[in-house]
């Protein structure tokens, strides 16, 4: 079983997954890093050369690779939930944890980022809020559990995830409960 962290850019997936992986002594995989290693190109260059569609195709290939592994904490790119094939692969091979945050919090965390092509030229709270709203159904469909991250340390968020998964095993989802039992 893997633990997949999903959520909008800047929701804290990278930081929290690092802490969670340490707590569990599991290996951490960041899908964006995996993509960059596999293609030997930066995310920015993939978007520039192949567009979003090209990036999404590679992202799906990489999630397929990762879904064959076991015992990994996986920090997923913010748009990984947009393809149902990715969501299916994640759900079949682990538990999906959504990290939620308010658009204002997201903006504060990503405003200086130059490596997020989706926000190029649109680095403002209104655009972020609109895109979050558009993606909300995909995040809600994909998640097994949700943890709110505003005003919380990564350590506390990782503890919340740990107890939600390993202490209150009854997540109300038969497939997931069976994986944990
Ligand atoms: C994307 C999020 C990014 C990266 C790519 C596309 C998105 O990952 O995968 O730039 O569509 O939300 P982070 O969520 O780690 O920033």
């Amino acid at each position: 079983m893997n633990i997949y962290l999903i959520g909008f850019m800047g929701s804290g997936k990278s930081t929290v997954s690092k802490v969670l992986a340490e707590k569990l002594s599991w290996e951490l995989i960041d899908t964006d890093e995996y993509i960059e290693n596999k293609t030997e190109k930066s995310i920015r260059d993939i978007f520039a050369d192949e567009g979003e569609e090209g990036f999404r195709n590679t992202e799906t290939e990489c999630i397929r690779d990762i879904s064959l592994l076991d015992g990994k904490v996986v920090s997923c790119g913010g748009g990984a939930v947009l393809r149902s094939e990715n969501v299916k692969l994640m759900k079949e091979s682990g538990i999906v944890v959504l990290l939620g945050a308010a658009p204002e919090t997201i903006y504060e965390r990503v405003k200086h980022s130059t490596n997020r092509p989706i926000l190029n030229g649109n680095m403002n709270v209104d655009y972020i809020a609109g895109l979050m709203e558009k993606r909300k159904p995909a995040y809600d469909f994909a998640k097994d559990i949700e943890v709110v991250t505003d005003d919380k340390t990564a350590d506390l968020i990782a503890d919340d995830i740990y107890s939600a998964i390993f202490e209150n095993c009854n997540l109300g989802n038969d497939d997931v409960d069976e994986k944990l039992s």
Side-chain angles (χ1 to χ4, degrees), residues 43-57:
I43 300 295
R44 214 182 342 192
D45 285 348
I46 300 173
F47 268 82
D49 296 347
E50 301 163 36
E52 182 171 352
E53 183 69 13
F55 171 77
R56 297 292 172 212
N57 290 340

Side-chain angles (χ1 to χ4, degrees), residues 18-129:
K18 226 172 265 168
V19 179
L20 183 64
E22 267 167 33
K23 277 186 201 288
L24 293 167
S25 299
W26 288 18
E27 194 192 330
L28 166 67
I29 298 180
D30 180 299
T31 59
D32 284 346
E33 271 176 35
Y34 191 101
I35 291 166
E36 292 188 327
N37 290 335
K38 186 166 172 149
T39 59
E40 298 182 342
K41 277 169 100 169
S42 70
I43 300 295
R44 214 182 342 192
D45 285 348
I46 300 173
F47 268 82
D49 296 347
E50 301 163 36
E52 182 171 352
E53 183 69 13
F55 171 77
R56 297 292 172 212
N57 290 340
T58 309
E59 185 172 51
T60 297
E61 262 175 48
C62 292
I63 291 174
R64 196 175 303 122
D65 291 352
I66 295 167
S67 71
L68 300 173
L69 306 174
D70 185 41
K72 312 292 178 204
V73 174
V74 187
S75 176
C76 300
V81 294
L82 298 175
R83 284 200 176 172
S84 56
E85 185 183 350
N86 300 348
V87 174
K88 189 165 178 278
L89 288 165
M90 289 182 215
K91 283 176 141 346
E92 280 171 358
S93 59
I95 295 186
V96 183
V97 181
L98 173 63
L99 299 188
E104 293 75 11
T105 310
I106 299 281
Y107 173 69
E108 284 306 316
R109 290 177 184 161
V110 302
K111 65 183 175 189
H112 300 303
S113 167
T114 52
N115 198 24
R116 290 186 164 104
I118 296 281
L119 295 177
N120 277 355
N122 290 307
M123 193 58 90
N124 59 74
V125 175
D126 280 353
Y127 183 81
I128 289 170

